[in-house]
């Protein structure tokens, strides 16, 4: 019988702070007068910053908590900080948007905090029960967020599709867990690895393969990799744009963290599952990159275009996961960070530029933007160039490290396919840039100048993009030297 | 005592029925019920393994799955109600305002 001590609670301090502030926001919501709900946004921002400080503090208390169901290591601390950064940028980018579209209720902020708490539990957990609960906390909150514009058809649809396919995926993930439990008698990832590695003969390989495939399918839905990406364009297009900023980064980062812990950390060490995992990842990576990039070429809606682009990026990240090992893992972590900066920035800026009720989201609506709003056009250009992977932006080094890891793992074919794909992707990113700078402005572009909080969020992501684009080695060497026992 | 393989076979059949129903059925509520069927197939597998091993973890897991499924149902049905209010229809094929 293990007892629960204060050390256990210290090691989940960021999650506790987030949950506490989420409850606080919910309690303050009824007593906050209408039209003043932005205050709750700032309360949430304080909560996220405090949680960030807590996460920095718990880095000094490494170890496991709650009977080895939470592991507080460098890996989880980095990912928690990343999730908090995404939450912070989303909150700052949402406040003016919510007021403009008259959906400024306090629940929005509370749901973002809860989704982030769930994601933090996911990335820190070494126990499949805990992974499942974190996944559901984060998923259920984001189902509501996707449908936050209750009266709007597209937002509704986005929410329904996300909910149905998300729950469908969860069922697969759970069934995989059930078989792993049947094979090993435990749901703890470390014990699973030891059991399978030490007595490989005890596990029936076919059942093990089935379990791995089921869990992979479940997670592949969550990170939207082919052939399980069908829901992504509709959900990302229909959801309110700041919510899409969050959806396309935070749950994805958390699910990739679980994928790496599971497939590289636990089952990757099992000899009989190795080739299966390799080919699953390899095929899925190729399909995801090709489908995402080819479909993005034909899109006329900017949100949909960015949705397909995020599918393609999931493919590049999978290349890093396929490479595996310490180098592959650190390149994946670096990519998740860089991708979060540029994608959140792009979506919250598009949310502002789309105007009231997001009426202007077509590429055509951005024609001639540079003449009207040179500053915003320049920011959006930087985001696009970074997503395309131009040098001196973080997008370049993110891709470079992933491809280098793949080359070192002797995945030449995969690297070549990935390189060709990233060349193709330049076309559709530049199409938006060309429209902004070359076209004649047909429509009056934007009514208001940029709100201060949104401007701050965009500035933070731009600074991040250029800083990591010019000095990437510091973060990468930190990520390479994370002390994780399971690699 | 019923052999493990029988219970697992039942669980696989239920899960497959649920997954097939999810793809074939055209009513949002029915699709949602198919997901619940899949979750119950998972629960059955957990219970069967838990009894065979023997270990209590599987039964604990089932409690968590039930609780989470209830929370998911609450949110899911609310989303479906919102959809119905906007559309006056629960047919999946009508949910198509976004096309490529």
């Amino acid at each position: 019988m293990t007892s629960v001590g204060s050390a256990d609670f210290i090691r989940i301090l960021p999650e506790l702070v987030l949950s506490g502030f989420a409850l606080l926001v919910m309690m303050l919501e009824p007593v906050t007068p209408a039209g003043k709900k932005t205050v709750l946004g700032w309360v949430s921002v304080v909560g996220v910053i405090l949680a960030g400080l807590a996460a920095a503090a718990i880095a000094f208390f490494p170890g496991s908590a709650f009977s080895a169901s939470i592991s507080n290591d460098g890996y989880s601390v980095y990912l928690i900080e990343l999730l908090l950064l995404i939450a912070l940028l989303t909150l700052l980018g949402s406040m003016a948007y919510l007021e403009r579209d008259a959906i400024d209720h306090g629940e929005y902020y509370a749901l973002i905090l809860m989704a982030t708490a769930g994601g933090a539990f996911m990335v820190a957990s070494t126990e499949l029960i805990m992974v499942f609960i974190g996944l559901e906390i984060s998923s259920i909150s984001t189902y509501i967020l996707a449908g936050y514009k209750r009266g709007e058809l597209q937002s509704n649809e986005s929410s329904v599709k996300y909910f149905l396919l998300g729950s469908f995926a969860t069922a697969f993930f759970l069934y995989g867990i059930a078989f792993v439990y049947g094979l090993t008698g435990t749901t703890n990832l470390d014990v699973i690895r030891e059991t399978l590695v030490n007595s490989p003969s005890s596990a029936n390989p076919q059942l093990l393969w089935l379990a791995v495939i089921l869990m992979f399918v479940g997670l592949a839905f969550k990170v939207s990799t082919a052939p399980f990406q069908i829901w992504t364009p509709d959900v990302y297009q229909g959801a309110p744009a700041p919510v899409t900023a969050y959806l396309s980064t935070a749950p994805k980062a958390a699910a990739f963290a679980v994928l790496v812990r599971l497939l590289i950390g636990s089952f990757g060490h099992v000899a009989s599952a190795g080739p299966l995992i390799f080919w699953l990842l390899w095929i899925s990576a190729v399909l995801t990159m090709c489908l995402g990039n080819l479909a993005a070429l034909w899109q006329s809606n900017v949100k949909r275009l960015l949705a397909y682009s995020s599918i393609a990026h999931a493919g590049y990240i999978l290349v890093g996961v396929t490479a595996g090992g310490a180098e592959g893992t650190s390149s994946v972590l670096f990519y998740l960070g860089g991708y979060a900066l540029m994608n959140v920035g792009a979506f919250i800026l598009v949310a502002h530029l789309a105007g009231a009720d997001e009426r202007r989201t077509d590429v055509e609506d951005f024609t001639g933007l540079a003449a009207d709003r040179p500053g915003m056009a320049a920011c959006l250009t930087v985001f696009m160039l970074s997503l395309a992977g131009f040098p001196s932006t973080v997008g370049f080094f993110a891709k470079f490290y992933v491809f280098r890891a793949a080359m070192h793992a002797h995945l030449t074919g995969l690297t070549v396919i990935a390189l060709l794909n990233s060349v193709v992707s330049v076309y559709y990113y530049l199409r938006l840039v060309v429209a902004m700078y070359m076209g004649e402005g047909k429509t009056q572009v934007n009514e208001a100048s940029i709100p201060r909080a949104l401007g701050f969020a965009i500035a933070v992501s731009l600074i991040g993009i250029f800083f990591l684009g010019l000095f990437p080695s510091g973060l990468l060497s930190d990520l390479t030297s994370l002390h994780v026992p399971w690699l | 005592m019923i052999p493990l393989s029988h219970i697992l076979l039942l669980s696989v059949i239920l899960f497959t029925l649920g997954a097939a129903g999810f793809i074939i059925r055209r009513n949002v509520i029915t699709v949602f019920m198919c997901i619940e069927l899949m979750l119950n197939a998972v629960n059955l597998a957990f219970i069967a393994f838990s009894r065979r091993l023997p270990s209590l973890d599987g039964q604990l897991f089932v409690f968590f799955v039930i609780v989470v499924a209830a929370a998911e149902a609450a949110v899911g049905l609310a989303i479906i109600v919102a959809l119905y209010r906007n559309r006056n229809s629960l047919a999946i094929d009508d949910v198509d305002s976004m096309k490529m």
Side-chain angles (χ1 to χ4, degrees), chain A residues 22-56:
Chain A
L23 293 177
L24 181 70
V25 168
M26 290 298 274
M27 286 193 286
L28 289 178
E29 149 72 18
V31 295
T32 316
K36 298 255 183 226
K37 305 287 190 193
T38 313
V39 175
L40 299 175
W42 290 109
V43 172
S44 319
V45 168
V46 171
V48 169
I49 292 171
L50 286 180
L53 294 176

Side-chain angles (χ1 to χ4, degrees), chain A residues 462-479:
Chain A
L462 285 177
I463 292 168
I465 285 172
F466 281 122
F467 180 77
L468 289 178
L470 296 170
F471 313 102
S473 43
L475 178 62
L476 188 80
S477 64
D478 285 352
L479 292 176

Side-chain angles (χ1 to χ4, degrees), chain A residues 129 136 150 156-157 175 181, chain B residues 11 55 58 72 86-87 97:
Chain A
I129 297 182
E136 284 302 297
R150 260 188 312 172
N156 256 195
E157 269 190 43
Y175 213 31
Y181 170 69
Chain B
S11 154
S55 114
E72 213 173 49
N86 280 331
R87 268 196 192 279
S97 71

